[in-house]
């Protein structure tokens, strides 16, 4: 367990915060007690260039007043807001609560815009320029970090611009993916396949399914080992969108191409997670975002419909 879960740290933070504030008060009190003695020349005794003397005057009262105001502000702030260990503050303010309020206010302001899209289907929204523009902004702000600004994906993050869909590319499937997220899990299968050479033969067979360069003799030996994979990928290797099992017969390689990459997946397995966005987006926002994502792989339909609408 992390040291920062110890009860020592809240006490430590509280002591440092209050100690610093009351330390300033103590210094101000000492400064206020300083008096200029009548029989003193009121210097520190430091002299430079014969005539330049360092005076020992007390701080101006207005300056000390500013310090006292700062101390009062600090104490009031720490009473109202969190800053003293586990004390939540009288106002119960949190960053999460502030964020949720701002999101709710933004959604309320945007509600009239999304109301115009409420009764339209996702293919219809994909033909609506305003809806697509809004979906594009939602995508760039929330999805581009993984899928890329052009939605072309990268290693480990699928492209959304082709017709290859791990969990299905129908409008309702895209909505479900965005709303609930997805977790794809391929367990390590080396033990079920057999010896290390059997794993490499199986990798050659997988390469043959997509017409990739492969060793035909080794692929033939690996074919019988594919039975361990067929439960998810299907006997024909074309995948299963209900399980998120990819199609092995096309030329899309999410985690790398080649014998070594396939062997690594068989030996180590792989877990990929798409986070759920249902808690952040409203159903209307998800619908518009889904329409934008759907349009990326149906450009002909979306652009043709938009032209006809004009």
């Amino acid at each position: 367990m992390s040291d920062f879960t110890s009860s020592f740290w809240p006490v430590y933070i509280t002591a440092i915060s209050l100690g610093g504030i009351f330390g300033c008060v103590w210094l101000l009190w000492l400064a206020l007690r300083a008096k200029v003695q009548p029989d003193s020349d009121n210097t520190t005794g430091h002299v430079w260039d014969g005539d330049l003397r360092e005076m020992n005057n007390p701080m101006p009262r207005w300056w000390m007043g500013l310090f006292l105001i700062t101390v009062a502000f600090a104490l009031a702030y720490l009473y109202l807001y969190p800053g003293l260990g586990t004390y939540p503050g009288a106002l119960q303010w949190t960053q999460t609560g502030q964020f949720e309020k701002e999101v709710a206010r933004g959604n309320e302001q945007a509600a009239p815009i999304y109301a115009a899209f409420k009764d339209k289907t996702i293919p219809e929204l994909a033909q609506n320029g305003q809806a697509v523009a809004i979906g594009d902004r939602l995508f760039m702000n929330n999805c581009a970090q993984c899928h890329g600004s052009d939605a072309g994906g990268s290693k480990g993050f699928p492209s959304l611009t082709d017709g290859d869909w791990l969990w299905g590319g129908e409008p309702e499937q895209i909505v479900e993916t965005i709303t609930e997220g997805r977790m794809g899990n391929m367990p390590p299968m080396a033990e079920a396949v057999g010896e290390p050479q059997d794993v490499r033969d199986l990798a050659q067979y997988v390469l043959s399914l997509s017409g990739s360069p492969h060793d035909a003799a080794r692929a033939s030996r690996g074919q019988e080992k594919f039975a361990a994979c067929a439960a998810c990928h299907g006997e024909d290797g074309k995948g299963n969108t209900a399980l998120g099992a990819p199609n092995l017969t096309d030329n899309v390689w999410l985690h790398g191409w080649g014998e070594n990459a396939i062997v690594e997946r068989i030996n180590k397995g792989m877990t990929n997670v798409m986070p759920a966005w249902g808690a952040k987006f409203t159903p209307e926002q998800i619908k518009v975002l889904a329409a934008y994502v759907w349009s990326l792989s149906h450009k002909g339909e979306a652009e043709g419909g938009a032209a006809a609408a004009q």
Side-chain angles (χ1 to χ4, degrees):
M1 183 178 292
S2 170
D3 289 342
F4 286 92
T5 62
S6 169
S7 60
F8 164 79
W9 293 107
V11 175
Y12 174 79
I13 293 170
T14 301
I16 290 294
S17 300
L18 293 179
I21 293 173
F22 290 116
C24 289
V25 174
W26 178 70
L27 289 174
L28 290 172
W29 180 74
L30 290 179
L32 282 170
R33 293 186 62 192
K35 304 294 183 181
V36 177
Q37 300 300 324
D39 58 348
S40 171
D41 64 357
N42 195 34
T43 68
T44 64
H46 299 155
V47 181
W48 292 272
D49 297 333
D51 295 325
L52 187 61
R53 298 174 182 273
E54 182 180 359
M55 303 302 293
N56 192 27
N57 293 324
M59 294 177 61
R61 297 289 178 174
W62 66 267
W63 197 348
M64 299 186 71
L66 291 178
F67 275 111
L68 290 173
I69 292 173
T70 302
V71 168
F73 174 84
L75 292 174
Y77 180 91
L78 292 175
Y79 169 72
L80 296 173
Y81 295 96
L84 298 177
T86 57
Y87 173 63
L91 298 181
Q92 300 289 311
W93 182 91
T94 64
Q95 291 181 339
T96 301
Q98 182 70 25
F99 170 77
E100 290 174 348
K101 287 180 182 178
E102 293 180 6
V103 169
R105 183 165 61 250
N107 289 340
E108 183 179 352
Q109 293 171 347
I113 298 174
Y114 288 102
F117 308 141
K118 181 178 180 181
D119 297 326
K120 295 183 180 295
T121 66
I122 285 179
E124 288 173 340
L125 289 177
Q127 300 169 11
N128 184 299
Q130 184 184 22
V132 170
I134 294 173
D136 177 45
R137 290 301 90 197
L138 290 172
F139 182 88
M140 292 297 290
N141 289 333
N142 300 279
C143 312
Q145 293 85 345
C146 291
H147 295 283
S149 58
D150 61 353
S154 61
K155 187 175 181 180
F157 302 99
S159 169
L160 305 178
T161 62
D162 54 25
D164 188 74
W165 295 89
L166 289 173
W167 299 93
E170 294 302 317
E172 61 275 8
Q173 292 170 319
I174 298 174
V175 168
E176 182 180 355
T177 296
I178 297 173
T179 304
E180 300 180 9
R182 300 290 190 182
M183 177 175 286
N185 180 40
M186 173 173 169
M189 298 297 296
E191 187 174 343
V193 172
E195 299 298 324
Q197 188 55 49
D198 294 328
V199 172
R200 292 200 166 272
D201 290 343
L202 174 58
Q204 288 295 317
Y205 176 70
V206 171
L207 287 171
S208 74
L209 291 173
S210 60
S212 300
H214 62 280
D215 184 314
R218 292 172 59 196
S220 179
R221 294 197 300 269
Q223 182 173 5
E224 64 182 64
K225 301 297 181 180
F226 190 75
C229 314
C232 293
H233 294 281
E235 293 183 2
D236 56 2
K238 291 188 176 181
N240 186 339
T241 56
L243 301 174
N247 181 2
L248 304 177
T249 65
D250 55 22
N251 198 32
V252 177
W253 299 90
L254 184 59
H255 299 290
W257 175 88
E259 179 180 323
N260 289 336
I262 298 172
V263 167
E264 184 177 8
R265 294 286 69 78
I266 297 172
N267 287 335
K268 299 180 179 179
M270 172 60 69
T271 298
N272 255 23
V273 178
M274 153 98 180
W277 294 92
K280 179 176 182 180
F281 294 144
T282 65
E284 292 78 15
Q285 288 174 319
I286 290 177
K287 190 175 183 180
V288 169
L289 177 56
Y292 172 75
V293 172
W294 185 86
S295 74
L296 294 173
S297 58
H298 295 77
K299 286 191 176 296
E301 298 174 53
E303 293 172 359
Q310 293 175 353

